[in-house]
């Protein structure tokens, strides 16, 4: 078996520990993915359109997933604070509580147990693989806001503030470590 095939098999095995959990939690895999995404996304990416892009589905598909999560009391739709014509998808307190039972937490805990340098190497390597897959499939890549070319930082200390040049909106410091579906990597 080639090393590449072995790595793929290891990834598949690791996914098997947290995928297909619908029967135990009453959520489908796509609903879990949506819930996880909404917990990690910045406010500009918590829209039905951005969720559809992240899930690789249509807006209608994302709407059905959102409706299922709403029915279960895990997500609410709110008018956007930035644009009242838009909708922001937000986790409820019950949704946040539900994520504490997420089957993927066992995988996260194993990664946390790795040496810091091993975690960094794993993150950077997986990021390169995912970028390559996104390019090959002509998908838009989702990544952490603070790595995006559109993020501008001004000032220092208490006067430090961030802005997204794409949306021309201020970004809270906490949002810079969250996911953005409009991400463009720095070269």
């Amino acid at each position: 078996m080639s090393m590449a095939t072995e790595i793929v098999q290891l990834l598949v095995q690791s996914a098997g520990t947290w995928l297909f959990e619908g029967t135990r939690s009453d959520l489908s895999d796509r609903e879990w993915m949506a819930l996880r995404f909404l917990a990690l996304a910045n406010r500009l990416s918590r829209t039905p359109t951005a969720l559809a892009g992240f899930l690789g589905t249509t807006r209608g598909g994302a709407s059905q997933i959102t409706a299922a999560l709403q029915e279960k009391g895990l997500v609410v739709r709110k008018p956007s604070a930035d644009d009242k014509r838009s909708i922001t998808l937000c986790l409820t307190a019950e949704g946040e509580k539900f994520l504490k039972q997420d089957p993927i937490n066992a995988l996260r805990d194993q990664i946390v147990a790795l040496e810091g340098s091993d975690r960094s190497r794993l993150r950077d390597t997986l990021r390169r693989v995912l970028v390559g897959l996104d390019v090959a499939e002509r998908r838009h890549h989702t990544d952490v806001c603070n790595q995006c070319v559109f993020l501008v930082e001004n000032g220092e200390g208490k006067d430090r503030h961030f802005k997204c040049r794409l949306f021309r909106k201020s970004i809270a410091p906490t949002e810079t470590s969250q996911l953005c579906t409009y991400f463009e990597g720095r070269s």
Side-chain angles (χ1 to χ4, degrees), residues 156-161:
E156 293 181 22
K158 290 184 179 187
D159 293 329
R160 186 173 160 201
H161 60 278

Side-chain angles (χ1 to χ4, degrees), residues 6-19:
E6 183 181 359
I7 291 169
V8 168
Q9 286 304 318
L10 290 168
L11 288 170
V12 168
Q13 284 178 298
S14 73
T17 64
W18 54 272
L19 278 176

Side-chain angles (χ1 to χ4, degrees), residues 11-171:
L11 288 170
V12 168
Q13 284 178 298
S14 73
T17 64
W18 54 272
L19 278 176
F20 315 115
E21 289 295 322
T23 56
R24 283 199 279 177
S25 64
D26 197 32
L27 287 186
S28 71
D29 294 328
R30 289 281 184 148
E31 290 166 352
W32 270 117
M33 285 178 66
L35 202 60
R36 290 175 189 128
F37 171 75
L38 294 172
L40 298 173
N42 66 26
R43 78 179 190 288
L44 300 175
S45 294
R46 288 192 309 262
T47 66
T49 301
L51 178 61
F54 179 78
L55 294 175
T57 188
T58 63
R59 285 186 63 190
S63 184
Q64 289 176 343
I65 292 167
T66 302
L69 292 172
Q70 277 185 275
E71 189 175 305
K72 294 170 183 170
L74 305 174
V75 171
V76 293
R77 297 166 62 98
K78 295 182 178 178
S80 169
D82 297 318
D83 178 359
K84 298 298 181 202
R85 298 169 296 169
S86 298
I87 295 294
T88 300
L89 303 171
C90 301
L91 292 181
T92 62
E94 186 64 28
E96 290 175 10
K97 183 178 163 187
F98 200 79
L99 276 170
K100 291 179 182 172
Q101 306 165 29
D102 188 345
I104 209 167
N105 292 345
L107 176 62
R108 181 208 53 217
D109 294 345
Q110 290 301 310
I111 292 170
V112 167
L114 295 173
E115 296 278 332
S117 60
D118 288 341
R119 277 195 313 268
S120 293
R121 249 188 330 277
L122 179 60
R123 179 202 57 213
D124 296 344
T125 301
L126 286 173
R127 181 174 277 141
R128 282 194 310 272
V129 168
L130 289 172
V131 167
L133 289 170
D134 288 341
V135 168
E137 295 293 323
R138 295 182 182 197
R139 287 186 301 231
H140 194 83
H141 182 66
T142 297
D143 213 325
V144 180
C145 180
N146 64 18
Q147 300 296 313
C148 183
V149 70
F150 296 124
L151 184 69
V152 177
E153 178 180 351
N154 292 309
E156 293 181 22
K158 290 184 179 187
D159 293 329
R160 186 173 160 201
H161 60 278
F162 300 92
K163 185 173 185 171
C164 176
R165 289 184 300 144
L166 180 65
F167 285 98
R168 298 180 184 159
K169 301 222 183 270
S170 293
I171 300 287

